[in-house]
Amino acid sequence: MKLLRKPKPNPNQLSLQLDLFAPEPEQAGSPASPSVIPAAELGPALPSPTVQPPLIVTPAPVVHAAPLPPPVIAAPPVPDNTLVPPPAGRPADGKRRIQLGEHTLDYALLRSKRRTIGFLVSDEGLRVTAPKWVTIAEIENAVREKQRWILAKLNERRERSARRLQPQMQWRDGATLPYLGHDITLRIRAGQRSGVQLDEETRELNVSLPADASEQQLKDRVQGWLQARAEELFGKRLIIYAEKLGVTYRSYALSSATTQWGSCTADGRIRLNWRLMHFALPLIDYVIAHELAHLREMNHGPQFWATVQSIFPEFELAKKALRDSAPETLPIF
């Protein structure tokens, strides 16, 4: 099986895509008056790259479709006095400090020609953008009104940073690999005839390789197996959800994109990232429902999300789980 590698982008492809690894900065806004209005998130997705000639899949009727199990995803933490520890000493140059109850928060203030007060949470912390004529008192009142949102987003950023510090997977006999939401154990079998076999009882992935095989050989063998399983599973789930929505897609293919989980072109060509196989089935189903919904709504407006919800009611939980997944938590092939 030909392994999918990181492709070159195709500037001629018109599509909508679901962002993959790079989590965008969190943003909210408020007018200069005390009321606060959330704004859209940042970070437009990049064009979906061309990976390989699409695998043409002809949808067939589904006889039995098992009910979708609800995803088990932890709810976002509620801020308390342990989430944002008080900064020590004086605030850094160019930053201001505000007391939010038991929290001491440093933030950067940027004056601009905009007519509203905006909040941006990134890896660098909180940045507040405000018109030149708005007073500091009005700015800090707006910060206090949005403090729950601000503290929650800062906590999410801290958790992402902690995940990046986790040790990477070691490619060797006995290593664990995330597969469909659970860990499986890699076993190198020098005397095994078949290439790769998963033992469902022991949760071991038996890989036929010589005892002196290199790490890259093991990676390639496992990647080929994952892509074959992805091609089979995605095809089945696409048929199920296309039937639920009453739409027909032209074709689908696997993708190795580094910035999207999936994409859908205006003429019905769908691409799905094979690395979704690391996640539980409900998250895979969400991405499939997301891309199929673009066959009804080629946008991300309210009607689009209503379409997604009509066939995948738990989409909000799955959407957050994928957004919180950092690339550093997945194996490197």
Side-chain angles (χ1 to χ4, degrees), residues 50-61:
T50 299
V51 178
Q52 62 178 21
L55 171 66
I56 305 302
V57 179
T58 302

Side-chain angles (χ1 to χ4, degrees), residues 131-146:
K132 297 177 181 179
W133 48 268
V134 176
T135 66
I136 295 297
E138 290 172 321
I139 291 172
E140 294 191 346
N141 284 339
V143 172
R144 290 188 177 92
E145 288 187 7
K146 294 290 291 182

Side-chain angles (χ1 to χ4, degrees), residues 168-290:
Q168 271 293 335
M169 170 184 170
Q170 300 297 314
W171 287 89
R172 55 176 175 76
D173 181 77
T176 57
L177 175 78
Y179 176 68
L180 293 179
H182 301 282
D183 285 343
I184 58 177
T185 303
L186 298 184
R187 293 299 180 193
I188 298 177
R189 308 296 188 188
Q192 181 175 291
R193 292 184 179 181
S194 58
V196 184
Q197 283 187 333
L198 176 63
D199 188 323
E200 296 287 354
E201 292 186 4
T202 63
R203 303 296 297 168
E204 291 182 338
L205 186 65
N206 299 301
V207 183
S208 176
L209 281 173
D212 59 349
S214 68
E215 180 179 286
Q216 192 58 52
Q217 285 178 291
L218 178 58
K219 288 182 179 181
D220 289 346
R221 190 65 62 87
V222 172
Q223 181 176 338
W225 178 81
L226 281 173
Q227 289 176 353
R229 300 288 77 73
E231 184 178 304
E232 178 184 3
L233 178 62
F234 296 171
K236 292 179 179 178
R237 305 307 286 181
L238 275 165
I239 292 172
I240 292 173
Y241 282 93
E243 185 179 75
K244 286 184 176 183
L245 193 57
V247 297
T248 302
Y249 55 93
R250 181 173 179 180
S251 66
Y252 94 92
L254 298 184
S255 164
S256 285
T258 58
T259 55
Q260 288 97 32
W261 290 120
S263 66
C264 179
T265 63
D267 62 351
R269 299 177 188 273
I270 292 175
R271 293 186 184 277
L272 299 170
N273 197 305
W274 64 268
R275 309 229 29 202
L276 285 166
M277 292 298 289
H278 294 307
F279 299 105
L281 183 60
L283 301 192
I284 297 173
D285 284 347
Y286 160 66
V287 176
I288 289 173
H290 181 116

Side-chain angles (χ1 to χ4, degrees), residues 17-22 24 42-46 259-262 290-291 322-323:
Q17 56 274 322
L18 179 59
D19 288 350
L20 174 55
F21 296 133
E24 67 272 13
L42 298 180
L46 300 176
T259 55
Q260 288 97 32
W261 290 120
H290 181 116
E291 301 310 333
L322 287 177
R323 181 172 296 165

Side-chain angles (χ1 to χ4, degrees), residues 5 36 100 165 209 248 297:
R5 298 300 188 188
V36 179
L100 303 176
L165 299 178
L209 281 173
T248 302
E297 298 284 340

